[in-house]
Amino acid sequence: MPEGDTVWRTARDLHRALAGAPLVRCDLRVPALATADLTGRRFLEAVPRGKHLLLRVEGGLTLHSHLGMDGSWRVRPAGETVRTGDHRIRAVLATAGHTAVGRSLPVLELLRTADESTAVGHLGPDPLGPDWDAEEAGRRLLSDPGRAVGEALLDQRNLAGIGNVYKSELCFMLRIPPWLPVARLPSPEPLTALAKKLLELNKTRTARVTTADPRPGRRLWVYGRAGRPCRRCGGPVRAGGQGPPGQERPTYWCPDCQGEEGR
């Protein structure tokens, strides 16, 4: 599932492949961009911002995308064939050396680079970004004292890049019930510090690891493990929806290790 570490790694790969070269092909397959063509413009940089990706080209333009639940960008050598009939393709950008293909992107828009704040200005501090400010992230988490910790972590206005996987893993590792009101936290500092640590550790990995055990099936503490034994106490891991009605997101936790306060 794409979270901040996945987007950081995607930006790195796109930047390495395309930066500094002019685009020889630009195919943007969303109705709003049907007539847009960036061919001939030099690709300047790929910048991650939480779960958002900003692809800047010369002339003051930025292609903004969000990976959502299933989106991806993949880079391949320019000589490889792109299956143009793939209905999931939303964007194709190519230089003389490489081709980048964006699939299943729920958000794809072309902005003036000077107006990027309209797309990402609402985001909180990014643990993988130059703007990281743990104190500000903590302040934002506590701005709604009655909100459940799990919901507050998913709110990108608090800190950018945390998704369902890290939400569940962070709460488990710190023995926090996901439904605990943020006002009941002794301090938000352990949460923000661990969030940054986990994202930093995983930003260059293709398989996300929170347990320090990279073997398949052993990489995560609770996420995706409903009904299986807790790695810490042996009790059953549980799963439940969390969030406003109609917008519930799956949460995994161990009642024995974390409790069920606030549920």
Side-chain angles (χ1 to χ4, degrees):
M1 184 177 296
E3 301 195 17
D5 49 358
T6 304
V7 176
W8 185 95
R9 190 165 55 252
T10 299
R12 178 202 62 185
D13 294 345
L14 289 169
H15 187 85
R16 286 177 176 175
L18 305 178
L23 294 173
V24 299
R25 180 183 178 188
C26 173
D27 184 2
L28 304 177
R29 302 181 183 181
V30 296
L33 301 179
T35 61
D37 188 4
L38 303 176
T39 302
R41 296 177 186 263
R42 187 163 55 93
F43 189 99
L44 300 179
E45 58 183 342
V47 178
R49 183 71 174 85
K51 296 184 181 183
H52 298 252
L53 190 60
L54 302 170
L55 308 181
R56 296 170 181 157
V57 299
E58 69 178 346
L61 294 177
T62 296
L63 188 64
H64 165 235
S65 68
H66 192 290
L67 301 186
M69 298 288 287
D70 304 305
S72 68
W73 281 91
R74 294 287 184 268
V75 175
R76 61 185 67 189
E80 288 191 13
T81 301
V82 175
R83 292 173 53 200
T84 55
D86 187 341
H87 71 278
R88 298 170 300 167
I89 293 178
R90 296 292 177 267
V92 180
L93 300 176
T95 64
H98 295 89
T99 299
V101 179
R103 287 186 172 86
S104 303
L105 303 173
V107 175
L108 188 68
E109 59 179 346
L110 192 61
L111 308 169
R112 288 173 52 85
T113 301
D115 296 333
E116 287 177 355
S117 62
T118 61
V120 297
H122 66 288
L123 299 175
D126 182 346
L128 295 180
D131 71 320
W132 174 241
D133 183 334
E135 185 175 338
E136 174 63 12
R139 185 193 69 76
R140 292 189 180 210
L141 284 170
L142 295 174
S143 64
D144 186 352
R147 196 174 195 185
V149 172
E151 291 183 52
L153 284 171
L154 287 184
D155 190 335
Q156 302 300 293
R157 296 171 297 180
N158 293 331
L159 63 164
I162 300 298
N164 253 13
V165 178
Y166 281 120
K167 172 195 71 173
S168 296
E169 296 294 289
L170 285 166
C171 288
F172 175 81
M173 293 173 75
L174 294 173
R175 296 180 180 266
I176 298 170
W179 287 270
L180 183 75
V182 293
R184 298 289 304 276
L185 291 173
S187 166
E189 192 278 331
L191 264 179
T192 58
L194 185 57
K196 179 170 178 59
K197 178 180 178 180
L198 291 179
L199 284 163
E200 288 283 0
L201 287 172
N202 282 290
K203 68 183 185 182
T204 59
R205 292 172 171 162
T206 55
R208 189 175 291 132
V209 178
T210 59
T211 61
D213 188 339
R215 290 176 291 177
R218 297 174 178 265
R219 295 168 180 153
L220 301 176
W221 288 103
V222 290
Y223 185 83
R225 302 190 66 250
R228 300 175 65 184
C230 171
R231 301 190 192 282
R232 184 183 281 155
C233 73
V237 172
R238 291 183 59 185
Q242 183 177 28
Q247 302 177 42
E248 296 91 346
R249 302 289 299 279
T251 293
Y252 298 85
W253 82 105
C254 173
D256 293 333
C257 291
Q258 297 169 259
E260 299 200 63
E261 186 173 352
R263 183 159 169 71

